[in-house]
Amino acid sequence: MKFEDLGLGPKTLKAVEESGYSEPTPIQAGAIPPVFAGRDVLGIAQTGTGKTASFTLPMIDILSRGRAKARMPRSLILEPTRELAAQVAENFENYGKYHKLSMALLIGGVAFGEQNRKLSKGVDVLIATPGRLLDHVERGNLLMNGVQMLVVDEADRMLDMGFIPDIERIFKMTPFTRQTLFFSATMPAEIQRIVDTFLHNPVRVEVARPTSTAETVEQFVLKLERSDARHKHEALRRLIDQEQVRNAIIFCNRKRDVDRLAAFLIKARYNAAPIHGDLPQSVRTRTLERFRNGELSLLIASDVAARGLDIPKVSHVFNYDVPIHPEDYIHRIGRTGRAGQKGRALTLATPLDDKALQAVQALIGRQLPLVGRSGQTQTESLPAQEKTPEAAPEKAASRPRRTRRKRRSKSAAKSAPEAAPAQHAQHKKPEHKVRPPAETRAPQAGFGSAIPDFFKREP
Ligand code: AMP
């Protein structure tokens, strides 16, 4: 199947070609023709499958015929988070660069005034989070009865975030004759109910869950004996030092832990920053931008903030916590090993996480290799990482030697008595922010001698 076979116009095809895509992904091949045929579409697909283009591309062509009226958007795309909304807006700008469509992005954390001015001029495409959209409706800034196309993206995430009542309200404000494109990675009963209520005989396009990320992502679980923050912080720090981390996203289940862990790593002079929903939008945007352009190496994130973010070339994902919802494990590790690149996903698991870990393993249909030692559990080594050509950025890595050594020995005595002499040597002369110097790192291949003592000893 080629993009030319999907019914896209020449301007859109040109933009697609310039994006470097050679062929449509399965969700694009399955969804684009029915969108052009005017059908409702139920897309069961996760982020990373190319689903954004599966609705933006045909929308651009369809909306290019006709003009917008003031305060009456012709199409509406609902996204659960500001970051995702901003990302979809970027996609629109990119794929729609040869069209003259007007777009407004309605997200929280940004002043109403500018958004209102755009609405007053008339927009073809409105991309919004549900809360901010309803705020504008209540202020009388917006009429929904011109919406011909409605996209609900990441519906299961909307459910997790408590947005379903808002979504129902929004559905009811839009005309019955609208075309609805509805995307969800999973189909819990509540989502199925929404689909049955608001979609008209939808074409169902389902693409395989990307458990195939396993092919490019090496996954391990590090068993810890204790679940206190200090122990987990230290364990994570050592793991980061042990790996050849170019850049990593570190996931925590709670926003509070995102902040605490970020503070710990920053204090230990890692190039780290937090991102979660309680931070001001301007800070989130800037942090993300720094991470994208390589200025920032470690992004400490909550699931919601990181959901669906398209950040190419992340070498590692660390799960500071085993996710509460097993599907989040797939979303998280999908941030690495993208586009055929190798990635590593390492998860810390304490005895309290046993159930959650079982749920993850049941979902992905396999046991994850365990490293470290935990009572009766299996002990395996953490296979060494293949050498990566890119070194971690040198300058940002440096930590003052004296402070570091002092702090290291203090914390080792207090919270990590298992630290082996080899590990001390490794931390003595740090040259890199996110990885120790190559000559002091554990051997790069095989087992046995490659196992850092940290993984072999009792905490
Ligand atoms: P999404 O699932 O929409 O978040 O897309 C994930 C990534 O796939 C983004 O980086 C897109 O730029 C990229 N992408 C979308 N369509 C294609 C395609 N047909 N071929 C290759 N990459 C694509």
Side-chain angles (χ1 to χ4, degrees):
M1 174 80 76
K2 291 193 189 130
F3 274 107
E4 287 77 7
D5 303 329
L6 298 178
L8 296 165
K11 290 182 191 169
T12 310
L13 283 173
K14 189 166 178 228
V16 166
E17 199 188 312
E18 286 170 9
S19 299
Y21 308 155
S22 50
E23 57 178 42
T25 64
I27 187 77
Q28 292 161 2
I32 294 175
V35 177
F36 277 126
R39 298 284 304 273
D40 282 2
V41 170
L42 168 61
I44 303 174
Q46 306 208 237
T47 183
T49 54
K51 73 178 161 59
T52 316
S54 78
F55 57 85
T56 48
L57 294 175
M59 280 176 84
I60 288 167
D61 278 349
I62 292 168
L63 294 168
S64 66
R65 307 183 282 270
R67 284 197 56 193
K69 292 188 198 134
R71 305 206 176 277
M72 290 179 69
R74 300 165 64 207
S75 66
L76 169 63
I77 300 173
L78 292 172
E79 293 289 335
T81 67
R82 301 162 182 184
E83 280 79 11
L84 271 173
Q87 205 164 283
V88 171
E90 263 175 40
N91 271 249
F92 242 102
E93 274 167 3
N94 181 28
Y95 303 138
K97 63 186 167 189
Y98 298 114
H99 291 86
K100 285 199 184 89
L101 294 175
S102 55
M103 181 186 77
L105 180 62
L106 302 189
I107 53 177
V110 177
F112 276 88
E114 179 58 25
Q115 295 179 348
N116 193 26
R117 262 191 298 283
K118 277 206 164 164
L119 294 174
S120 69
K121 286 188 197 151
V123 292
D124 298 300
V125 186
L126 194 56
I127 303 168
T129 49
R132 179 52 71 104
L133 179 86
L134 289 171
D135 283 348
H136 275 284
V137 171
E138 277 155 21
R139 288 169 183 229
N141 296 342
L142 196 56
L143 285 168
M144 302 287 281
N145 42 359
V147 172
Q148 303 155 22
M149 297 184 88
L150 172 62
V151 179
V152 179
D153 196 16
E154 305 262 345
D156 50 354
R157 178 55 44 151
M158 303 261 197
L159 174 68
D160 289 347
M161 295 173 72
F163 286 155
I164 293 302
D166 288 350
I167 299 294
E168 286 194 66
R169 263 185 81 193
I170 295 166
F171 262 117
K172 286 175 188 162
M173 289 173 184
T174 58
F176 181 75
T177 51
R178 68 174 182 261
Q179 183 179 10
T180 306
L181 315 178
F182 192 96
F183 292 85
S184 192
T186 55
M187 288 300 291
E190 185 64 355
I191 295 297
Q192 188 62 53
R193 184 185 67 78
I194 298 287
V195 168
D196 295 342
T197 312
F198 295 106
L199 273 70
H200 308 298
N201 189 23
V203 174
R204 184 183 166 108
V205 185
E206 184 163 1
V207 300
R209 298 182 73 82
T211 40
S212 55
T213 48
E215 286 163 27
T216 51
V217 181
E218 295 178 285
Q219 304 167 55
F220 303 99
V221 173
L222 175 63
K223 287 292 256 181
L224 301 179
E225 295 280 302
R226 301 200 332 249
S227 51
D228 58 284
R230 178 179 291 191
H231 186 68
K232 289 180 82 176
H233 284 173
E234 274 301 322
L236 180 76
R237 188 173 66 74
R238 284 157 192 252
L239 205 48
I240 294 170
D241 284 355
Q242 138 114 15
E243 290 284 305
Q244 299 176 57
V245 177
R246 182 186 51 237
N247 57 352
I249 307 182
I250 305 172
F251 287 96
C252 301
N253 288 352
R254 284 166 288 270
K255 293 178 211 165
R256 191 189 55 201
D257 290 334
V258 169
D259 284 333
R260 285 183 184 163
L261 179 61
F264 167 80
L265 290 171
I266 291 165
K267 197 166 168 226
R269 303 200 170 241
Y270 289 80
N271 180 9
I275 187 162
H276 59 68
D278 288 350
L279 293 168
Q281 185 57 37
S282 56
V283 173
R284 287 158 67 174
T285 308
R286 209 169 47 241
T287 300
L288 207 51
E289 192 45 45
R290 285 175 54 223
F291 191 65
R292 277 215 184 96
N293 67 25
E295 273 172 53
L296 178 71
S297 305
L298 303 177
L299 185 69
I300 328 295
S302 65
D303 287 292
V304 166
R307 173 80 177 206
L309 295 183
D310 181 30
I311 301 166
K313 281 185 135 198
V314 176
S315 74
H316 284 71
V317 164
F318 294 99
N319 290 316
Y320 176 80
D321 300 300
V322 180
I324 297 163
H325 303 293
E327 310 82 50
D328 282 334
Y329 180 81
I330 296 170
H331 294 307
R332 289 178 180 188
I333 71 163
R335 309 292 99 214
T336 184
R338 297 201 123 189
Q341 305 212 359
K342 280 252 157 77
R344 304 256 284 187
L346 298 134
T347 301
L348 301 186
T350 73
L352 300 179
D353 296 317
D354 280 353
K355 248 184 156 172
L357 191 58
Q358 274 168 22
V360 166
Q361 297 184 138
L363 180 69
I364 63 174
R366 69 185 184 94
Q367 294 290 111
L368 291 168
L370 297 180
V371 294
R373 190 173 162 147
S374 174
Q376 310 305 314
T377 57
Q378 170 194 9
T379 302
E380 285 183 18
S381 59
L382 176 63
Q385 187 181 355
E386 273 178 32
K387 266 202 164 119
T388 52
E390 308 95 331
E394 197 135 336
K395 187 167 151 272
S398 56
R399 299 173 230 181
R401 237 168 111 176
R402 210 162 58 86
T403 323
R404 169 98 170 116
R405 202 183 304 163
K406 218 164 87 189
R407 188 186 51 68
R408 169 76 197 96
S409 51
K410 228 164 102 189
S411 63
K414 264 201 221 155
S415 64
E418 80 280 23
Q423 284 290 315
H424 281 288
Q426 182 171 307
H427 289 292
K428 249 184 192 167
K429 216 178 133 198
E431 287 175 7
H432 300 285
K433 165 187 46 178
V434 289
R435 54 179 286 226
E439 69 273 15
T440 58
R441 232 178 290 134
Q444 291 301 309
F447 296 75
S449 62
I451 312 166
D453 283 12
F454 163 60
F455 291 120
K456 292 191 271 184
R457 297 191 177 196
E458 285 292 353

